[in-house]
Amino acid sequence: SDEKDPYTHGHSERVSRYSVLIAKHLGMSEEEVDKIRISALLHDIGKIGIEDKILKKPGMLTPDEFAIMKQHPQKGAAIASRVAQLREMVPGIELHHEWLDGRGYPYGLKGNEIPRMACIISVSDTFDAMTTHRPYQTAMEPSVAIEYIRSCAGQKFDADVATALEAVYASGEMKVQRAAALV
């Protein structure tokens, strides 16, 4: 999906890199880390099914446009579930916008209903969105993004995953490019 949108160029690769670091920090098996790496690379693949005028809109989306945009996790899950080798990656693709408190989408899952794979991709996705330039926002410092994620731990985000992000960033393993504004 990154190819369709210059603002998100490299987004999936970064989310995948961050997700792998978090999963390793959490002591997940090599097999699980690998599933997360692939799922994170494909987490926005459903955006292929969203029209460009919504995907590339420079300002805030209308409620109707947002409703369409919110279909991307399920569209992505539908694509990935048709490929035998990708079936185990579907939870990360389908559920990366779920929140612990049940206010996420598409299903409003709560707490332990959300697989760890999706919790990790959710944190990595949010961190990358906040630390890169977008048409409607300037990139924030990584420390600001981490502080926000930590403040939402237990509500939006899994607390262990939020802590792992912070630890991986503090260790210096997590290279965050200071994104140059797109001219």
Side-chain angles (χ1 to χ4, degrees), residues 56-123:
K56 296 182 179 176
K57 186 176 175 181
M60 294 301 280
L61 298 176
T62 66
D64 286 349
E65 289 167 340
F66 189 56
I68 293 167
M69 183 66 104
K70 282 168 76 170
Q71 295 169 6
H72 80 267
Q74 285 160 301
K75 287 177 185 282
I79 294 165
S81 61
R82 289 191 209 112
V83 182
Q85 299 93 314
L86 296 179
R87 294 228 172 98
E88 291 179 291
M89 290 68 175
V90 168
I93 297 167
E94 188 167 29
L95 306 174
H96 68 275
H97 285 290
E98 295 286 356
W99 293 0
L100 255 61
D101 64 8
R103 298 208 332 255
Y105 65 88
Y107 306 116
L109 300 181
K110 279 190 174 153
N112 291 341
E113 295 173 333
I114 308 167
R116 176 150 278 191
M117 172 189 279
C119 292
I120 290 172
I121 294 170
S122 174
V123 163

Side-chain angles (χ1 to χ4, degrees), residues 38-177:
I38 295 163
S39 183
L41 269 175
L42 300 174
H43 75 282
D44 276 346
I45 196 169
K47 287 186 178 176
I48 287 169
I50 309 282
E51 56 182 327
D52 279 1
K53 73 176 172 70
I54 293 176
L55 214 53
K56 296 182 179 176
K57 186 176 175 181
M60 294 301 280
L61 298 176
T62 66
D64 286 349
E65 289 167 340
F66 189 56
I68 293 167
M69 183 66 104
K70 282 168 76 170
Q71 295 169 6
H72 80 267
Q74 285 160 301
K75 287 177 185 282
I79 294 165
S81 61
R82 289 191 209 112
V83 182
Q85 299 93 314
L86 296 179
R87 294 228 172 98
E88 291 179 291
M89 290 68 175
V90 168
I93 297 167
E94 188 167 29
L95 306 174
H96 68 275
H97 285 290
E98 295 286 356
W99 293 0
L100 255 61
D101 64 8
R103 298 208 332 255
Y105 65 88
Y107 306 116
L109 300 181
K110 279 190 174 153
N112 291 341
E113 295 173 333
I114 308 167
R116 176 150 278 191
M117 172 189 279
C119 292
I120 290 172
I121 294 170
S122 174
V123 163
S124 299
D125 187 31
T126 301
F127 179 78
D128 187 65
M130 292 180 76
T131 56
T132 50
H133 289 292
R134 297 289 174 100
Y136 45 84
Q137 77 168 30
T138 307
M140 292 170 210
E141 285 299 323
S143 58
V144 175
I146 287 168
E147 187 53 50
Y148 167 76
I149 288 167
R150 190 170 55 187
S151 75
C152 298
Q155 289 126 35
K156 279 189 186 186
F157 306 115
D158 181 290
D160 293 341
V161 176
T163 303
L165 168 76
E166 199 169 356
V168 170
Y169 181 71
S171 75
E173 286 176 273
M174 201 167 149
K175 302 281 177 272
V176 182
Q177 273 96 23

Side-chain angles (χ1 to χ4, degrees), residues 1-3 5-14 47 134:
S1 64
D2 291 358
E3 293 69 46
D5 185 354
Y7 287 101
T8 55
H9 182 70
H11 168 67
S12 295
E13 288 83 354
R14 290 188 301 271
K47 287 186 178 176
R134 297 289 174 100

